[in-house]
Amino acid sequence: MAMLLAEDGGFKPPSTADFELPPVFGDNPYTTKPIFLVFLSVILISVFFIAASRKASIVPSKLQFAGESIYSFVRNDLARDVIGHEFMRFVPYLFTLFTFILTNNLFGIIPFLQFPAMSRVSFPYVLALFTFVIFHYVAIKHKGLIAYLKEIMFMPGVPKPVYILLTPIEVATYFLVRPLTLSLRLFANMFAGHLLLLVFILGGEHLLQGVIGLKLVSPFAFAFGIGLTFFEFMVQCLQAYIFTLLTALYIAGALADEH
């Protein structure tokens, strides 16, 4: 329907061009909306947790309870249960990672902001790079560079001829596939979710401007868009969880004594 309307010179369906936002001011690529949203997320996260911990008491306020619940979730469920006894030194990174991704994802359904910063692939790439550096650094420090590389390339208990196929796969997995899949999974989900919301919300708005038959259909498009918004909220939370969980799993693997 959308494509037919576009051919008639009416409705232009959303596309990747809707993610290429112009600078808010000037002609500088560093003054675009996604950049400002990232800075805004840092401010909001900082203000929230400072306010939540400012007047901490044994009987927590609602704000303190909310802040402690998020921290406890990351500390216990994503750090302690996955990494093990050395988890505490990684809690700050995992906590920062989870709250940062979650906040920037939720921007996609917040009125007037309505753009998930993680739908720009450069941000997931940078986060995946941080994780990549951290878990390799931890592994090298824990096992030594030679032992770590030997563990990756020559899995114990495998017949030597199998290494011809297995070694390139393992090297590619550790040094290429892991950071790429980690970042692209987050990016693709945020990109696709936001694009779907644009299709149904903008499509419903366009149908309201059409003939009576199209106007009768428009409420269904809006209703579907609202339903997708709740679904997108679930996906946004899930993707922040998955990214942080995989990071914890990679760190746990780096600390493990066996491959």
Side-chain angles (χ1 to χ4, degrees), residues 194-259:
H194 190 61
L195 192 61
L196 277 174
L197 290 178
L198 286 175
V199 168
F200 285 98
I201 299 300
L202 295 180
E205 180 185 9
H206 178 80
L207 291 173
L208 279 176
Q209 303 170 7
V211 297
I212 186 65
L214 295 179
K215 289 181 179 179
L216 293 175
V217 177
S218 63
F220 295 98
F222 282 122
F224 206 80
I226 293 171
L228 279 175
T229 299
F230 287 101
F231 179 75
E232 184 65 9
F233 171 75
M234 181 185 71
V235 172
Q236 289 164 348
C237 296
L238 183 62
Q239 288 305 312
Y241 171 77
I242 290 174
F243 196 104
T244 312
L245 175 63
L246 288 174
T247 297
L249 286 170
Y250 294 158
I251 293 172
L255 292 170
D257 291 327
E258 296 181 359
H259 183 77

Side-chain angles (χ1 to χ4, degrees), residues 6 17 36 39 60 66 71 75 86 101 127-128 159 175 177 199 227 231 244:
F36 284 114
F39 280 109
Y71 175 77
R75 179 185 183 275
E86 297 186 58
I101 294 174
L127 296 179
F175 294 99
V177 175
V199 168
F231 179 75
T244 312

